Amino acid sequence: MNKNQIMDSGWNRQTIWQGCILASIAHAIFVANNSDFAYEHSWDGDHYSTNDGQGCRGTVSFGLDFFVAGFRNEEFFEETIEANDLLIEAPEKVQKMAVDDTFQYLLDDIEGVVLPIVTTVLWGGDRQSFSSHQYEEMMDRGSNLLEIQASGYEAGLAYWEEYYELTERQLLLLETLYHLKIENPSQAITLSHEDIQVLDTSDMEGIEESITSFDEIDIHWSSDVSN
């Protein structure tokens, strides 16, 4: 399958990574009171997964200078070909990360055989990106899950504020944590007692989900609050 260059400039490694961080912080704030939605965003090391709960899910794996993403839309399940075939024109390092890591989050049992079920893939660096499908079809096949993350900071902030119905104080916390994380990606961040108060929750299950979601991106509740 021929690769297709994605002409939308937002679809690059840096913008997407920053967008995934923004989405994840907003989600971690929201689930403190809404634990049923914990499945929507998660991280496992350098692998970000998202799920709309309506048949679409995907995982983005971030390398030092490239990324690879695999998505699955149940509506295209019958048309799915071998996942590896979707990456036939991708660089070797991309193919290796996809097979070893990304696709491992998209496994399913098909008549007793566990296989990655993927309906579209994309990959690239900080300058250009490519997909196994043309843009519109790529979006239909599941990549729309990453549309907000690829849209830039201002658009993403406005979207998550409305989507999660964040209060003004929660929005300020989101902005503060995001900039701290982006400026020092490897540095752990600890939420203060005042930060925790902004979440405005006494829901124990929500608190546990929020702690987990924050932990996944190395943002931690202070021990005297979380214990």
Side-chain angles (χ1 to χ4, degrees), residues 4 7-8 12 21 47-48 52 72 85 93 116 120 140 147 150 154 160 169 179 192 195 201 209-210:
N4 298 277
M7 302 310 294
D8 188 322
N12 63 75
I21 291 295
H47 312 287
Y48 163 82
D52 69 358
R72 168 174 159 184
D85 292 346
K93 64 181 181 180
T120 194
D140 288 343
E147 183 174 15
E154 294 296 339
W160 297 120
R169 294 177 68 206
H179 288 296
S192 67
D195 293 335
T201 182
E209 294 293 355
S210 181

Side-chain angles (χ1 to χ4, degrees), residues 59-109:
T59 295
V60 189
S61 299
F62 294 97
L64 290 176
D65 58 356
F66 71 98
F67 77 95
V68 57
F71 295 91
R72 168 174 159 184
N73 183 343
E74 298 290 352
E75 292 182 12
F76 292 87
F77 188 88
E78 298 301 327
E79 300 176 32
T80 303
I81 60 175
E82 290 291 331
N84 295 7
D85 292 346
L86 296 173
L87 283 164
I88 198 166
E89 293 193 24
E92 184 176 343
K93 64 181 181 180
V94 169
Q95 295 189 40
K96 178 174 174 52
M97 178 175 277
V99 172
D100 292 349
D101 298 307
T102 317
F103 290 171
Q104 298 305 306
Y105 296 89
L106 297 164
L107 298 175
D108 208 341
D109 189 319

Side-chain angles (χ1 to χ4, degrees), residues 38-202:
Y39 64 85
E40 287 190 337
H41 304 272
S42 63
W43 285 83
D44 180 15
D46 294 319
H47 312 287
Y48 163 82
S49 295
T50 182
N51 187 328
D52 69 358
Q54 301 176 44
C56 282
R57 60 190 177 99
T59 295
V60 189
S61 299
F62 294 97
L64 290 176
D65 58 356
F66 71 98
F67 77 95
V68 57
F71 295 91
R72 168 174 159 184
N73 183 343
E74 298 290 352
E75 292 182 12
F76 292 87
F77 188 88
E78 298 301 327
E79 300 176 32
T80 303
I81 60 175
E82 290 291 331
N84 295 7
D85 292 346
L86 296 173
L87 283 164
I88 198 166
E89 293 193 24
E92 184 176 343
K93 64 181 181 180
V94 169
Q95 295 189 40
K96 178 174 174 52
M97 178 175 277
V99 172
D100 292 349
D101 298 307
T102 317
F103 290 171
Q104 298 305 306
Y105 296 89
L106 297 164
L107 298 175
D108 208 341
D109 189 319
I110 307 299
E111 298 180 353
V113 180
V114 177
L115 298 168
I117 304 300
V118 183
T119 51
T120 194
V121 298
L122 55 145
W123 67 92
D126 288 329
R127 292 178 177 270
Q128 58 184 353
S129 297
F130 301 92
S131 172
S132 55
H133 298 88
Q134 292 186 1
Y135 187 83
E136 292 301 328
E137 187 174 4
M138 172 192 93
M139 299 296 277
D140 288 343
R141 287 176 169 267
S143 295
N144 62 301
L145 287 178
L146 213 59
E147 183 174 15
I148 302 303
Q149 292 85 328
S151 65
Y153 173 70
E154 294 296 339
L157 190 68
Y159 179 86
W160 297 120
E161 177 187 11
E162 180 177 356
Y163 183 79
Y164 286 136
E165 298 181 346
L166 301 178
T167 66
E168 287 187 19
R169 294 177 68 206
Q170 289 171 344
L171 182 64
L172 180 59
L173 178 61
L174 169 58
E175 293 179 271
T176 301
L177 293 175
Y178 169 80
H179 288 296
L180 286 173
K181 188 67 182 175
I182 296 304
E183 290 165 12
N184 295 286
S186 61
Q187 183 174 330
I189 298 168
T190 300
L191 299 178
S192 67
H193 181 69
E194 289 72 21
D195 293 335
I196 305 294
Q197 286 184 318
V198 170
L199 303 182
D200 191 24
T201 182
S202 57

